[in-house]
């Protein structure tokens, strides 16, 4: 089945018990045992497994062509679970512009826990290879990256990780399985903040890790999921599933609008630089064209006039909502450095857009008036 079909049918559509066409939400925390104490129906206690979470995990595993999926209550919960499969003294390589929440998690929690971390410019060929050590166990990649939309060569990162005996995990939140398939390129696992494009409606938080194969790594993840307990509620699982069904269609519309918006911004006199891998002049364009089927729904750009102009343009938006996050049906605008705070590595004059499902001409008209009034 192709992705559009899998998104509808990949989680089991019709409830076998009742024929219901929408999946039920199972809220039970505990499940009846057999007379002999067995669990022949597959369930015993909600933290370990429940039917709604299983349906979501099956759907996400299918969408990424993975063997197994473990769902979590947030993207960072999923990221933390990957880190919890490691042991103190293990070495991790991550991009120097890794999602800032992941960087804070690594620095403020997992450094104290004994992980050794190297941040490196993984977009430059050869840099990852020289960052590897005998004790490297995890190479974390994120492509396209947030908020600069830089592109990592997934296959090359996988080869480097494997040659060092490490696993390679790809944060696929920005691209989603609709546009990029890291497991097909050899990655050991894909991580998602399902809060973003997969959930798709800015009304549920979630995360997931999907592994390419079943084995030691997926078993360890499952153990962490069961014991750390950062699991999503049945209702949250249901909302993520509901969103995932329309992911391929939403992705297509957002990509097409993003290309138009990037082209508009590129020619705008008050825009200094546009960061969108779909633009031919983007440094990662050729690589993105190879490993992605389209270029995504996030566009960043830098304005002339510096930080004040970026803040003013953001303030002037009328149709774009001023909010962080991405991947919802409504388009969002943010002055990224202000959102990330004093430790932000984002350029001070950078604005990040998440392109939703409004008509692109309306979005372009809003950006035109916001930029015009910001720099007059
Ligand atoms: C939002 C985000 C996360 C964290 O996900 P939460 O659901 O907010 O915990 C991780 N990686 C990327 C790329 C994100 O955009």
């Amino acid at each position: 089945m192709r992705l559009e079909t899998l998104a509808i049918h990949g989680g089991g559509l019709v409830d076998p018990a009742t024929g219901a066409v929408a999946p039920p939400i199972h809220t039970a925390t505990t499940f009846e045992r057999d007379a002999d104490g067995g669990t022949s129906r597959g369930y015993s206690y909600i933290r370990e497994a429940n039917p709604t979470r299983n349906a979501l995990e099956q759907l996400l595993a299918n969408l990424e062509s993975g063997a197994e999926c473990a769902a979590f209550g947030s993207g960072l919960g999923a990221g933390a679970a990957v880190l919890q499969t490691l042991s103190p003294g293990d070495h991790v390589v991550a991009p120097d512009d890794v999602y800032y929440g992941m960087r804070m998690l690594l620095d403020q929690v997992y450094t104290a826990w004994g992980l050794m971390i190297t941040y490196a410019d993984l977009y430059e060929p050869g840099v990852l290879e020289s960052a590897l050590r005998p004790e490297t166990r995890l190479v974390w990649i994120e492509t396209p990256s947030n908020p600069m939309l830089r592109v990592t060569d997934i296959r090359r990162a996988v080869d480097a990780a494997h040659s060092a005996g490490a696993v390679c995990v790809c944060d696929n939140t920005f691209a989603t399985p609709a546009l990029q398939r890291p497991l097909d390129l050899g990655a050991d696992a894909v991580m998602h903040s399902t809060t973003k494009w997969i959930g798709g409606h800015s009304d549920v938080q979630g995360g997931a890790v999907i592994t390419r194969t079943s084995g030691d790594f997926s078993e360890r993840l499952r153990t962490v999921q069961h014991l750390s307990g950062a699991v999503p509620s049945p209702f949250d699982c249901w909302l993520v599933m509901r969103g995932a069904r329309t992911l391929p269609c939403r992705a297509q519309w957002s990509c097409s609008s993003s290309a138009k918006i990037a082209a508009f911004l590129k020619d705008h006199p008050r825009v200094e630089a546009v960061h969108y891998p779909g633009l031919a002049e983007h440094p990662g364009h050729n690589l993105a064209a190879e490993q992605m089927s389209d270029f995504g729904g996030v566009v960043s750009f830098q304005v002339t006039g510096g930080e004040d102009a970026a803040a003013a343009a953001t303030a002037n938006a009328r149709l774009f909502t001023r909010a962080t996050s991405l991947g919802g049906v409504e388009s969002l605008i943010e002055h990224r450095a202000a959102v990330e705070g004093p430790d932000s590595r984002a350029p001070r004059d950078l604005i990040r857009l998440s392109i939703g499902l409004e008509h692109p001409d309306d979005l372009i008209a809003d950006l035109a008036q916001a930029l015009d009034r910001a720099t007059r």
Side-chain angles (χ1 to χ4, degrees), residues 179 197 247-264 276 278-279 293-299 331 354-361 363-364:
L179 310 179
W197 297 105
L247 171 70
C249 296
R250 289 185 286 107
Q252 210 177 350
W253 182 269
S254 285
C255 287
S256 132
S257 296
S258 298
K260 290 175 188 151
I261 288 163
F264 160 78
Y276 185 64
L279 292 174
S293 59
D294 208 332
F295 302 104
V298 178
V299 180
S331 293
S354 169
I355 305 304
L357 303 183
E358 301 93 338
H359 197 284
D361 292 349
L363 295 173
I364 286 171

Side-chain angles (χ1 to χ4, degrees), residues 17-99:
T18 61
V21 168
I25 305 173
H26 288 278
T27 57
T29 55
T30 189
F31 297 81
E32 186 188 38
R33 298 248 170 186
D34 302 334
D36 65 0
T39 56
S40 64
R41 285 169 283 186
Y43 299 100
S44 61
Y45 183 64
I46 186 171
R47 175 159 33 72
E48 290 183 354
N50 74 77
T52 312
R53 195 173 87 213
N54 276 22
L56 170 66
E57 290 177 341
Q58 188 196 331
L59 175 61
L60 295 180
N62 279 329
L63 289 181
E64 288 283 7
S65 308
E68 287 191 48
C69 168
F72 294 90
S74 71
L76 279 186
V82 172
L83 300 176
Q84 286 167 28
T85 66
L86 302 173
S87 304
D90 286 352
H91 178 241
V92 177
V93 181
D96 55 6
D97 64 344
V98 67
Y99 170 71

Side-chain angles (χ1 to χ4, degrees), residues 43-354:
Y43 299 100
S44 61
Y45 183 64
I46 186 171
R47 175 159 33 72
E48 290 183 354
N50 74 77
T52 312
R53 195 173 87 213
N54 276 22
L56 170 66
E57 290 177 341
Q58 188 196 331
L59 175 61
L60 295 180
N62 279 329
L63 289 181
E64 288 283 7
S65 308
E68 287 191 48
C69 168
F72 294 90
S74 71
L76 279 186
V82 172
L83 300 176
Q84 286 167 28
T85 66
L86 302 173
S87 304
D90 286 352
H91 178 241
V92 177
V93 181
D96 55 6
D97 64 344
V98 67
Y99 170 71
Y100 83 115
M102 195 66 194
R103 189 175 183 117
M104 290 198 289
L105 177 68
L106 283 162
D107 290 348
Q108 295 179 25
V109 179
Y110 284 94
T111 302
W113 200 66
L115 293 186
M116 318 293 278
I117 298 144
T118 300
Y119 297 103
D121 181 357
L122 302 187
Y123 313 97
E124 288 303 318
V127 170
L128 169 58
E129 285 78 352
S130 53
L132 296 167
R133 299 188 202 157
E135 48 299 345
T136 306
R137 291 291 165 270
L138 171 66
V139 172
W140 184 271
I141 59 175
E142 181 188 325
T143 181
S145 72
N146 177 26
M148 296 300 282
L149 287 305
R150 299 179 75 189
V151 182
T152 310
D153 188 331
I154 297 173
R155 209 185 286 273
R156 185 172 174 144
V158 167
D159 288 347
H162 288 177
S163 72
V167 295
C168 181
V169 178
C170 180
D171 184 338
N172 205 27
T173 298
F174 266 44
T176 82
L179 310 179
Q180 176 170 276
R181 318 192 49 79
L183 301 184
D184 292 348
L185 299 173
D188 299 281
V190 157
M191 168 266 181
H192 278 288
S193 167
T194 55
T195 316
K196 314 294 170 55
W197 297 105
I198 292 181
H201 296 75
S202 306
D203 57 7
V204 60
Q205 182 163 45
V209 182
I210 299 107
T211 55
R212 186 165 42 81
T213 58
S214 297
D216 289 351
F217 183 52
S218 65
E219 269 170 39
R220 181 98 187 107
L221 264 173
R222 191 66 74 189
T223 302
V224 168
Q225 182 199 34
H226 290 175
L227 296 179
S228 290
V231 291
S233 74
F235 183 55
D236 286 354
C237 292
W238 187 88
L239 278 172
V240 173
M241 250 190 303
R242 182 184 173 124
R245 293 194 161 156
T246 54
L247 171 70
C249 296
R250 289 185 286 107
Q252 210 177 350
W253 182 269
S254 285
C255 287
S256 132
S257 296
S258 298
K260 290 175 188 151
I261 288 163
F264 160 78
L265 290 169
K266 182 173 74 94
D267 292 334
H268 198 285
R270 284 163 187 140
V271 173
E272 207 138 273
V274 183
H275 306 289
Y276 185 64
L279 292 174
E281 55 270 43
H282 185 280
H285 174 71
N286 290 341
L287 183 54
E290 243 172 71
Q291 68 184 19
M292 300 176 74
S293 59
D294 208 332
F295 302 104
V298 178
V299 180
S300 293
F301 64 103
Q302 292 170 257
V303 296
T304 61
E307 175 158 20
D308 289 348
T314 305
N316 289 343
R318 290 173 180 147
L319 182 57
F320 279 87
T321 303
R322 275 180 305 281
T324 193
S325 198
L326 52 116
V329 295
E330 67 295 308
S331 293
L332 304 178
I333 186 167
E334 67 173 353
H335 178 206
R336 187 69 191 166
V339 167
E340 289 188 359
D343 294 336
S344 173
R345 302 163 57 88
R348 308 299 306 179
D349 57 359
L350 182 123
I351 293 175
R352 191 185 81 179
L353 305 175
S354 169

